[in-house]
Amino acid sequence: MKEARYFYAPDAVTAGRLPDDEAAHAIRVLRLREGDEIFLIDGVGNFHRAQVTLVSSKHCAYQILETLPQQPLWRGHIHLAMGPTKMMDRVEWMAEKATEIGFDELTFLDCRFSERRVVKTERVERIVLAAVKQSRKAWRPVVNGMTPFEQFVKMPREGAKFIAHCYEEITRTDLFDILSALEDDNPQVTVLVGPEGDFSIEEVRLAMDNGFQSVSLGECRLRTETAALSAVMMAQLALRKRF
C-alpha cells in the first residue's frame, strides 16, 4: 500500500490543479501519475481525498473524491508573540516544532533588547507550511511580520493575555496552572516571550497595564526559542481536546 501523499492547496475545491510549487514536487520528486490518490490540505480545517487526472511537465490536475472535515485538536486560538533571536535558524526551528505540536498564530516582536529587527516571514511561512504537511494538520498557522512591542500590547485583543519574563521583583504565576483552569470552550490565548535579553522591565509593566498577566514558564532559565516552544506546549496540553 502506497503512503498517503499530502499537498497544500488553499483553493482545493475550485482550483482543480495543484499550486505550481506543489505540482513540481509531485511530478519531479514523487513522480505521481494519472490515477494516483492524493490528499489536499486547504489550511482551514479540511482534508480532500483526490485522484490525479492529468500530469504534464508543469501541471498536476486532480478530481476531488471526498471532502473530510477535521475536528480541532485543541480548544480556542493559541497565539505566540516572540522577540526573534539573533540566529534565525533557532527561530525557524521553533516555528517548525510549534507547528508540529499545534498552534494558530505567530507574531514577531521588536523589543527594546532585540538583537534582530528584521525577519523574512516568507521563509518562516515556507517552514511552517512544510511542518503542516509533515504533521498532517488541517489548519495552517498564521505568520505575522515584525511588530513594535508597544503597538502589539496596546492592540485590542480578546481572551487571556500573558507575558513571560524573568524579573523576580514582579510577581509571576505559573502559565500552565492558569491555562489549565480556563473553562471557556473557545479560549483565545496570547503569550509573549521576550528576546535573548528578555523584555525590559518597563515593557513588562506596560504589558501588565494593558491587561497582560505576568507569568513564569517554570523554574529553569530558558533560551528564547525554548521558552517560546515551552509556552506553546503548555497551551497545547492545557487546551487540547480529549475525544
Side-chain angles (χ1 to χ4, degrees):
M1 182 177 180
K2 289 185 178 180
E3 179 184 357
R5 305 293 189 179
Y6 284 74
F7 300 90
Y8 178 64
D11 301 317
V13 174
T14 58
R17 69 180 192 183
L18 293 178
D20 291 346
D21 54 344
E22 296 287 76
H25 182 69
I27 297 165
R28 299 171 189 169
V29 179
L30 301 178
R31 299 186 181 280
L32 295 186
R33 297 289 182 264
E34 294 175 13
D36 286 345
E37 184 174 276
I38 58 176
F39 287 86
L40 311 176
I41 299 172
D42 63 14
V44 292
N46 301 294
F47 293 154
H48 304 273
R49 186 169 67 88
Q51 185 177 53
V52 176
T53 57
L54 178 66
V55 175
S56 67
S57 60
K58 295 183 179 180
H59 303 299
C60 182
Y62 59 80
Q63 176 185 4
I64 291 180
L65 304 176
E66 183 181 12
T67 295
L68 305 166
Q70 301 298 296
Q71 292 296 317
L73 301 178
W74 59 91
R75 295 180 290 131
H77 185 95
I78 301 171
H79 185 171
L80 171 69
M82 66 175 293
T85 59
K86 183 177 181 180
M87 301 298 292
M88 196 60 198
D89 59 341
R90 292 181 178 178
V91 175
E92 294 168 355
W93 173 86
M94 188 287 304
E96 177 184 70
K97 301 311 172 188
T99 303
E100 292 175 12
I101 292 167
F103 76 139
D104 299 285
E105 189 170 358
L106 172 63
T107 298
F108 295 108
L109 297 176
D110 185 0
C111 307
R112 178 178 175 182
F113 297 144
S114 292
E115 294 191 58
R116 172 175 288 277
R117 305 288 179 181
V118 177
V119 172
K120 295 181 179 179
T121 54
E122 297 82 1
R123 177 172 169 80
V124 178
E125 287 174 340
R126 289 197 297 270
I127 290 170
V128 165
L129 178 54
V132 165
K133 293 187 290 183
Q134 188 278 330
S135 59
R136 298 182 181 178
K137 295 288 192 302
W139 281 266
R140 178 181 180 178
V142 173
V143 178
N144 302 311
M146 190 73 85
T147 305
F149 177 87
E150 182 175 352
Q151 176 184 328
F152 186 89
V153 298
K154 289 184 175 181
M155 288 179 182
R157 195 176 307 279
E158 295 183 358
K161 304 184 294 185
F162 308 98
I163 181 165
H165 62 88
C166 298
Y167 293 101
E168 295 182 359
E169 60 266 45
I170 298 179
T171 301
R172 295 172 295 161
T173 307
D174 186 85
L175 176 63
F176 185 73
D177 289 346
I178 299 176
L179 292 175
S180 298
L182 292 177
E183 297 180 354
D184 191 344
D185 289 336
N186 187 37
Q188 309 296 300
V189 173
T190 302
V191 184
L192 310 187
V193 173
E196 286 148 309
D198 204 348
F199 297 113
S200 70
I201 196 165
E202 292 81 12
E203 286 173 327
V204 174
R205 287 172 173 154
L206 176 64
M208 294 174 66
D209 288 343
N210 283 274
F212 284 79
Q213 299 180 61
S214 169
V215 296
S216 166
L217 300 176
E219 296 300 322
C220 298
R221 194 173 184 89
L222 305 174
R223 287 181 179 270
T224 293
E225 70 276 12
T226 311
L229 191 59
S230 295
V232 171
M233 177 63 83
M234 289 178 188
Q236 172 64 227
L237 290 174
L239 303 180
R240 67 181 175 178
K241 290 187 174 181
R242 293 172 174 81
F243 297 95

